[in-house]
Amino acid sequence: MPMKNKVKEFVDARGMSVYRFIKDTGIAPNTGYSLYRNSHHMPSPGVLAAICDAYKVQPSEILEWVANQQQAS
């Protein structure tokens, strides 16, 4: 998959809990924990907008493009 989410890094860098992240953004708990635990879980556009709105950040702070091994060769 060419994209990954950086929610774990984002949350950990701010020294907050996943619970606080969920409360700040208003996203569903299952979604918040899935994003935190699985970097290949992609947020929906609405969830991405909620995160960006809550923390006043660009989507690039939450998502990262990752080169495919085959493309990198």
Side-chain angles (χ1 to χ4, degrees):
M1 174 169 267
M3 296 286 291
K4 74 171 202 161
N5 83 61
K6 301 188 295 185
V7 170
K8 181 173 180 16
E9 295 94 327
F10 182 85
V11 169
D12 291 351
R14 285 161 179 72
M16 69 176 132
S17 66
V18 181
Y19 178 80
R20 175 83 271 149
F21 172 74
I22 290 165
K23 290 299 177 190
D24 287 350
T25 59
I27 64 176
N30 282 346
T31 300
Y33 284 108
S34 291
L35 288 168
Y36 184 82
R37 292 182 183 139
N38 180 359
S39 66
H40 297 293
H41 184 84
M42 288 295 106
S44 69
V47 168
L48 183 59
I51 296 167
C52 292
D53 287 345
Y55 295 107
K56 309 294 184 239
V57 297
Q58 294 295 316
S60 61
E61 292 195 46
I62 305 302
L63 297 177
E64 178 179 30
W65 179 81
V66 180
N68 226 338
Q69 291 297 342
Q70 292 174 336
Q71 290 174 342
S73 307

